[in-house]
């Protein structure tokens, strides 16, 4: 076929101004396109038809794509698309030709509807492979599509519709617009490529273009969200709307991606305001809190009777943003109707794009019960104590607690009405992840995290009806600041039953039920009113209930006597305890002082084993020394406690020097083998130091414990001597300043992905 078509096309192209030659070229292109379209795996293709385009044909495509003739340019774009679908090899050959990609870019903005649509479809065909998507992004096709969409769209995205055609549409229906076929196709193509971009490609998009395009997507998302919440789904064949394969999760992902490094939070840094409002106007107030209460004792930080300056109340803007003047039903509607599901992200996830790949099918869906929201109350006495009775929690949506059977329950408009009914029946509405849903709460959480030198602070919101208790008595594995926004609530906080601080991700022990565990002298009561803030250290059992003044009648709809409070949880991740700081210090020192660069040598192996064992020894100390579990404040702002940090560092190093014993580590390894236990599990975060370039040789954290034990047993004396020497050198030579540098790198790595996630989720809560 090459021997026939190629000469004809070459001759026709040379005299394209001749009508006969133009007609001949069109026929040749049609013949070529037909041959490509019939080359499917199941078709019987005549031997004379090419299985791929030759280089001669490929050389024609750039000029033909730039043709002013709509039929020639559009058919050429269709040929490009069909060719890339023939095979991976053909796809790679096409996208490796820079001139063809430039021609596609020119076709996208040709001004001809027919050419632009054909070019869009060709781009979609090219993007079916990884190399195709990568090359398109490298050639700035995303920017061209965004600009073209903003040019062809004629009105704001006010008229949208959703439709479902298969089971996949139950969570992510297809989106239809009245704007016409070309705008929806260009939009779908742009979104497809945006969702294929890496962070470098996204950062290359001009800032103003990105902001303008993102604003349109957000406006479209507001209207789409209203339809999703109402479950207003139509038949895709409805003539008024034009549908492509654009789905709600595709749109949500593009909004998320475009927002990752685009700081759109209009709320300026309120660090100083948070510190003054919560702890007092001077640095000494915060230092007093740290010395007397932090991780030790509960306290009432601020009383509304002592504060008269509304400008210093960080929660006033938040309260004013809520519909607080109407009924509780209207308050619930104003909160719940605007909340999107926030898929959980691991604290040590350092690649936001990996996370998006894992959750992309569910991104942008309504809240999921159990993950984002709970509707609960504490009922039914199960054990009588001197200070009352323990209760158990019951869920209003009982069937949702086993999602393996019923599937996740989405909180749509019907479920929101059920939440209102539940509230009238005494159930508390508990909302998680509010720092990802409210710009103002996000700013407060960020400021509090910086104040305590931690990667993040979580925020939950609780709406409790009159004379009710939401959560049963429990303790948290993180410190909590309870901020009373509306109404009043009575809190009972018990002393921590053990000197050990609970850790994140460790199983929470059951509340001790003997009367000796909750004697009168070991609990405190606080009645919080609007504006009060209560601090509860991690590990302190507590419970709370709303109380009603008997002199004031309670409305049937619960509009009086209810409570709305926000909890800010300072979650101390394992790397940011003092034990974690010791692990970072050991890695830092080992990197800077390693004697044997060859890990395969005897000295290198002994060094590796000794470092491994010293990490385990540090872990064993942390299991019984309460100070090792305390939050490390090295990165706290302000650095008010630098001297205290140095003293704590000296304590930690001296403790390691005195109590790290070779035999204890060996016995711990033996016990782990017998119990089939993974003793490295709590320390695997240390591998993240390799991502920071802290070490050139990576420890194999999947190292077999049996092999580890056998090697120690075989070279018992040598390993013990190496361990003792390495421990002594580490404790003698480690520099506090060097350890701080590595510690801050780890902190910034944790904060970066969290910030990217927060920016993306806040953009999806633009409603």
């Amino acid at each position: 076929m090459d021997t026939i078509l190629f000469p004809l096309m070459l001759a026709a192209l040379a005299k394209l101004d001749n009508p006969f030659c133009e007609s001949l070229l069109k026929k040749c292109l049609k013949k070529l396109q037909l041959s490509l379209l019939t080359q499917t795996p199941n078709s019987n293709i005549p031997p004379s038809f090419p299985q791929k385009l030759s280089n001669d044909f490929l050389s024609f495509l750039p000029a033909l794509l730039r043709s002013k003739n709509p039929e020639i340019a559009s058919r050429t774009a269709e040929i490009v698309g069909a060719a890339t679908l023939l095979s991976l090899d053909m796809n790679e050959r096409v996208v490796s030709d820079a001139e063809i990609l430039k021609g596609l870019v020119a076709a996208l903005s040709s001004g001809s509807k027919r050419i632009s649509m054909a070019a869009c479809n060709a781009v979609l065909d090219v993007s079916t492979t990884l190399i195709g998507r990568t090359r398109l992004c490298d050639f700035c096709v995303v920017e061209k599509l965004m600009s073209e969409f903003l040019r062809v769209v004629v009105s704001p995205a006010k008229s949208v519709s959703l439709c479902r055609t298969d089971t996949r549409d139950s969570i992510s229906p297809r989106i239809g617009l009245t704007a016409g076929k070309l705008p929806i196709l260009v939009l779908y193509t742009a979104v497809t490529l945006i969702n294929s971009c890496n962070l470098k490609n996204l950062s290359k998009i001009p800032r103003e273009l990105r902001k303008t395009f993102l604003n349109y997507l957000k406006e479209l998302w507001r209207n789409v969200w209203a339809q999703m919440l109402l479950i207003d789904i139509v038949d895709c064949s409805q003539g008024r709307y034009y549908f492509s394969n654009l789905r709600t999760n595709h749109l949500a992902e593009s909004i998320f991606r475009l927002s990752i490094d685009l700081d759109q939070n209009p709320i300026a840094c309120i660090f100083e305001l948070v510190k003054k409002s919560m702890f007092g106007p001077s640095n000494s107030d915060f230092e007093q809190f740290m010395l007397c209460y932090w991780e030790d004792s509960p306290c009432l930080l601020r009383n509304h009777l002592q504060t008269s300056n509304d400008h210093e109340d960080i929660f006033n803007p938040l309260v004013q943003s809520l519909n607080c003047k109407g009924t509780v039903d209207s308050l619930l509607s104003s909160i719940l109707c605007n909340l999107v599901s926030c898929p959980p992200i691991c604290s040590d996830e350092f690649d936001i794009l990996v996370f998006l790949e894992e959750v992309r099918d569910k991104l942008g869906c309504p809240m999921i019960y159990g993950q984002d929201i709970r509707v609960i109350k504490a009922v039914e006495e199960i054990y009588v104590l001197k200070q009352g009775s323990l209760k158990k929690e019951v869920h209003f949506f009982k069937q949702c607690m086993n999602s393996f059977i019923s599937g996740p329950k989405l909180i749509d408009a019907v479920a929101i009405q059920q939440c209102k009914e539940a509230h009238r029946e005494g159930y508390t509405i508990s909302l998680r992840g509010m720092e990802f849903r409210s710009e103002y709460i996000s700013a407060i959480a960020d400021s509090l995290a910086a104040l305590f030198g931690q990667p993040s602070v979580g925020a939950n919101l609780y709406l409790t009806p009159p004379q009710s208790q939401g959560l049963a008595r429990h303790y948290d594995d993180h410190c909590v600041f309870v901020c009373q926004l509306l109404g009043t609530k009575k809190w009972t906080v018990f002393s921590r039953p053990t000197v050990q601080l609970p850790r994140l991700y460790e199983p929470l022990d059951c509340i001790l039920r003997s009367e000796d565990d909750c004697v009168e002298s070991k609990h405190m009561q606080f009645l919080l009113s609007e504006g009060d803030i209560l601090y509860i250290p991690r590990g302190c059992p507590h419970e709370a209930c709303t109380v009603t003044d008997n002199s004031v009648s309670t409305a049937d709809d619960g509009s009086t006597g209810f409570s709305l409070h926000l909890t800010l949880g300072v979650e101390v991740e394992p790397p940011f305890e003092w034990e974690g700081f010791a692990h970072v210090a050991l890695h830092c020192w080992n990197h800077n002082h390693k004697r044997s660069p060859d890990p395969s040598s005897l000295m290198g192996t002994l060094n590796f084993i000794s470092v491994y064992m010293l990490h385990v020894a540090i872990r064993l100390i942390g299991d019984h020394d309460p100070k090792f579990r305390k939050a490390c404040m090295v990165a706290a702002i302000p650095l008010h406690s630098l001297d205290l940090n140095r003293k704590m560092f000296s304590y930690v190093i001296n403790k390691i020097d005195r109590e790290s014993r070779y035999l204890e580590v060996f016995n711990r390894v033996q016990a782990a083998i017998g119990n089939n236990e993974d003793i490295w599990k709590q320390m695997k975060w240390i591998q993240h130091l390799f991502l920071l370039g802290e070490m050139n040789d990576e420890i194999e954290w999947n190292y077999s414990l049996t092999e580890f034990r056998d090697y120690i047993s075989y070279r018992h004396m040598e390993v013990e001597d190496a361990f003792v020497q390495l421990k002594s050198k580490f404790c003698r030579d480690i520099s506090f300043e060097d350890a701080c540098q590595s510690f801050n790198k780890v902190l910034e790595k944790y904060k970066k992905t969290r910030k990217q996630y927060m920016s993306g989720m806040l953009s999806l809560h633009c409603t």
Side-chain angles (χ1 to χ4, degrees):
M1 189 174 181
D2 282 12
T3 58
I4 300 174
L5 280 183
F6 179 71
L8 290 176
M9 293 178 65
L10 183 62
L13 193 60
K15 297 182 179 181
L16 201 54
D17 53 343
N18 184 300
F20 174 78
C21 291
E22 179 180 299
S23 175
L24 177 62
L25 181 59
K26 291 178 182 178
K27 291 179 180 179
C28 290
L29 289 174
K30 185 176 182 180
K31 185 77 171 177
L32 179 60
Q33 181 188 12
L34 181 63
S35 71
L36 294 174
L37 293 177
T38 56
Q39 292 183 49
T40 62
N42 296 322
S43 62
N44 296 318
I45 306 169
S48 59
F49 277 31
Q51 297 298 309
K52 60 182 179 179
L53 288 181
S54 67
N55 290 333
D56 293 333
F57 280 119
L58 291 179
S59 65
F60 282 160
L61 299 181
L64 296 176
L65 286 169
R66 289 183 170 87
S67 173
K68 299 298 182 182
N69 186 296
E71 183 178 348
I72 292 176
S74 60
R75 198 175 293 280
T76 302
E78 291 166 359
I79 288 172
V80 170
T84 60
L85 296 177
L86 286 178
S87 66
L88 288 174
D89 176 67
M90 193 68 231
N91 186 288
E92 185 173 353
R93 286 180 58 203
V94 170
V95 301
S96 297
D97 191 319
E99 293 304 315
I100 293 179
L101 295 182
K102 290 178 182 178
L104 270 182
V105 171
L108 287 171
S109 55
S110 64
S112 165
K113 178 180 178 181
R114 180 177 177 179
I115 297 175
S116 295
M117 291 186 67
C120 281
N121 285 319
V123 168
L124 290 173
D125 291 337
V126 171
S127 67
T128 54
T129 67
L130 176 60
I131 188 174
R133 294 190 294 271
T134 302
R135 291 283 290 172
L136 290 170
C137 291
D138 290 343
F139 268 78
C140 303
V141 176
V142 176
E143 295 94 302
K144 181 61 67 174
L145 286 165
M146 292 165 64
S147 299
E148 181 65 11
F149 175 75
L150 294 173
R151 185 188 70 81
V152 299
V153 70
V154 293
S155 62
K158 294 198 178 294
S159 184
V160 301
S161 183
L162 305 178
C163 83
R164 293 174 180 162
T165 55
D166 53 45
T167 55
R168 186 172 44 150
D169 295 338
S170 59
I171 292 180
S172 301
R174 291 166 60 190
I175 300 173
L177 300 177
T178 57
K181 289 183 178 180
L182 177 59
I184 189 68
L185 179 59
V186 176
L187 178 60
Y188 173 58
T189 310
V191 164
T192 299
L193 282 193
I194 289 170
N195 295 346
S196 303
C197 283
N198 57 35
L199 296 182
K200 183 179 179 180
N201 293 136
L202 291 172
S203 66
K204 289 180 180 178
I205 302 174
R207 188 174 183 83
E208 286 306 311
L209 173 61
R210 186 176 1 169
K211 289 177 67 175
T212 303
F213 188 75
L214 181 59
N215 287 337
Y216 184 93
L217 294 189
K218 284 184 175 182
E219 185 176 358
L220 174 60
W221 177 251
R222 279 190 285 268
N223 291 284
V224 166
W225 178 250
Q227 302 288 329
M228 289 180 66
L229 207 60
L230 295 172
I231 326 178
D232 190 3
I233 312 297
V234 302
D235 186 346
C236 289
S237 62
Q238 193 171 22
R240 183 185 171 196
Y241 296 98
Y242 296 92
F243 291 91
S244 68
N245 287 324
L246 179 64
R247 299 178 184 273
T248 55
N249 63 308
H250 300 155
L251 177 60
E253 184 178 352
S254 283
I255 293 173
F256 190 107
R257 284 173 173 264
L258 292 174
S259 307
I260 282 176
D261 62 349
L262 194 62
D263 188 7
Q264 304 174 90
N265 194 340
I267 302 171
C269 178
I270 57 173
F271 173 82
E272 285 298 327
L273 183 58
V274 168
K275 184 166 73 74
K276 289 179 180 179
S277 182
M278 293 184 67
F279 302 99
S282 68
N283 283 338
S284 61
D285 293 321
F286 181 69
E287 291 179 1
Q288 183 71 12
F289 166 78
M290 295 300 300
L291 289 171
C292 299
Y293 300 105
W294 173 244
E295 296 187 317
D296 184 56
S297 304
C299 71
L300 186 62
L301 286 174
R302 187 184 62 121
N303 188 290
H304 68 294
L305 298 176
Q306 300 169 350
T307 304
S308 57
N309 189 354
D310 287 345
H311 295 292
E312 295 184 357
D313 188 340
I314 57 172
F315 299 106
N316 261 350
L318 177 61
V319 174
Q320 292 171 5
S321 68
L322 301 173
N323 184 10
C324 305
K325 295 183 179 179
T327 64
V328 173
D329 280 2
S330 61
L331 174 62
L332 266 174
S333 292
S334 68
I335 297 174
L336 298 182
C337 288
N338 296 321
L339 301 185
V340 179
S341 177
C342 293
I345 181 171
C346 295
S347 61
D348 59 352
E349 175 58 79
F350 291 162
D351 190 334
I352 192 66
L353 298 186
V354 170
F355 163 77
L356 284 175
E357 183 69 28
E358 293 173 350
V359 303
R360 66 190 338 164
D361 290 339
K362 298 179 181 178
L363 200 62
C365 75
M367 287 191 297
I368 298 175
Y369 190 81
Q371 171 186 290
D372 304 289
I373 180 175
R374 293 183 299 163
V375 183
I376 51 178
K377 66 177 177 180
V379 296
E380 298 181 21
E381 177 177 300
I382 60 174
Y383 195 89
V384 178
L385 299 174
K386 286 184 177 179
Q387 279 70 49
S389 58
L390 288 177
K391 300 179 179 181
K392 71 174 183 180
E393 295 167 6
V394 295
H395 291 256
F396 182 78
F397 298 106
K398 297 180 179 63
Q399 73 281 7
C400 302
M401 295 315 295
N402 191 347
S403 59
F404 293 104
I405 298 176
S406 59
K409 179 173 180 61
L410 303 181
I411 306 301
D412 52 27
V414 174
I416 290 176
Q417 288 300 122
Q418 293 173 330
C419 288
K420 295 175 183 179
E421 297 172 8
H423 188 269
R424 287 191 287 270
E425 295 179 18
Y427 286 84
T428 291
I429 312 299
S430 168
L431 295 167
R432 295 171 169 170
M434 290 303 296
E435 73 273 25
F436 307 127
R437 309 174 192 277
S438 162
E439 291 176 339
Y440 202 80
I441 294 177
S442 169
I444 294 173
D446 274 352
S447 299
L448 204 59
L451 194 61
F452 289 98
Q454 299 300 313
S456 61
V457 165
N460 296 342
L461 195 65
Y462 298 87
L463 181 65
T464 303
Q467 298 178 311
S468 298
Q469 178 176 337
L471 300 179
R473 186 182 304 173
H474 67 285
Y475 68 84
D476 296 309
D477 56 12
H478 53 274
C479 293
V480 172
F481 294 91
V482 180
C483 311
Q484 192 67 29
L485 304 180
L486 296 171
T488 60
K489 204 164 194 179
K490 183 177 74 174
W491 289 78
T492 303
V493 184
F494 297 86
S495 298
R496 191 164 47 237
T498 174
V499 294
Q500 289 284 43
L501 292 167
R503 284 172 155 162
L504 290 179
Y505 317 124
E506 288 185 345
L508 294 179
D509 296 328
C510 296
I511 295 295
L512 300 177
R513 295 179 180 176
S514 69
E515 294 186 5
D516 293 336
D517 295 320
C518 293
V519 296
E520 192 75 33
S521 61
K522 289 189 177 182
H523 81 282
M524 302 173 67
Q525 288 192 330
F526 304 88
L527 183 62
L528 299 191
S529 299
E530 295 176 11
D532 288 343
I533 299 176
L534 173 64
Y535 169 69
I536 304 176
R538 50 179 164 145
C540 289
H542 55 273
E543 58 187 352
C545 62
T546 47
V547 292
T548 304
D549 187 346
N550 292 330
S551 63
V552 180
S553 61
T554 302
D556 292 338
D557 62 359
S559 57
T560 60
F562 71 91
S563 163
L564 180 69
H565 78 264
L566 180 76
T567 63
L568 298 168
V570 183
E571 300 174 341
V572 182
E573 299 284 345
F576 308 109
E577 299 177 340
W578 274 105
E579 181 195 315
F581 189 85
H583 289 298
V584 173
L586 175 56
H587 265 269
C588 171
W589 175 85
N590 188 49
H591 174 62
N592 294 335
H593 296 80
K594 185 172 290 187
R595 301 295 182 187
S596 175
D598 182 8
S600 63
S601 67
L602 175 60
M603 291 300 295
T605 303
L606 289 175
N607 182 84
F608 162 75
I609 294 291
S610 299
V611 171
Y612 219 50
M613 295 185 72
L614 191 51
H615 276 299
V616 177
I618 292 171
R619 176 65 183 178
L620 293 178
I621 296 173
D623 284 340
H624 67 261
D625 189 318
K627 290 186 178 181
F628 272 56
R629 294 182 173 221
K630 291 183 73 70
C632 179
M633 302 294 287
V634 165
I637 303 176
L639 295 176
H640 60 280
S641 54
L642 188 58
D643 290 339
L644 292 177
N645 283 328
R646 286 185 179 275
K647 290 179 181 178
M648 183 60 120
F649 177 71
S650 297
Y651 171 87
V652 168
I653 297 301
N654 289 333
K655 191 83 170 179
I656 294 171
D657 193 24
R658 293 193 313 268
E659 298 190 10
S660 296
R661 299 180 179 90
Y662 169 81
L663 189 58
E664 287 184 4
V665 177
F666 181 76
N667 290 337
R668 181 69 183 88
V669 172
Q670 288 274 47
I673 293 173
N675 298 328
N676 195 24
E677 178 187 355
D678 181 7
I679 62 173
W680 316 126
K681 183 177 181 181
Q682 296 297 325
M683 298 184 293
K684 284 189 177 179
W685 61 267
I686 300 172
Q687 64 189 299
H688 301 321
L689 291 175
F690 307 128
L691 302 176
L692 305 175
E694 290 298 324
M695 295 186 67
N696 295 323
D697 58 318
E698 180 174 343
I699 288 179
E700 178 53 65
W701 290 100
N702 293 323
Y703 197 94
S704 166
L705 277 181
T706 303
E707 293 177 342
F708 186 79
R709 178 203 56 189
D710 292 346
Y711 186 89
I712 297 175
S713 301
Y714 178 68
R715 295 186 176 272
H716 178 72
M717 297 297 296
E718 292 167 299
V719 173
E720 183 173 6
D721 288 344
F723 173 82
V724 172
Q725 290 181 30
L726 182 134
K727 179 192 71 170
S728 299
K729 290 178 181 179
F730 164 66
C731 294
R732 182 189 65 211
D733 299 337
I734 181 61
S735 163
F736 176 66
E737 287 73 18
D738 289 346
C740 286
Q741 289 182 6
S742 295
F743 181 82
N744 285 326
K745 287 181 181 179
V746 177
L747 177 63
E748 289 305 313
K749 195 72 175 178
Y750 271 73
K751 290 170 63 175
K752 181 180 179 181
T753 310
R754 178 85 170 195
K755 182 65 177 177
Q756 292 171 331
Y757 177 85
M758 185 176 290
S759 297
M761 291 311 309
L762 286 174
S763 281
L764 291 177
H765 286 87
C766 59
T767 53

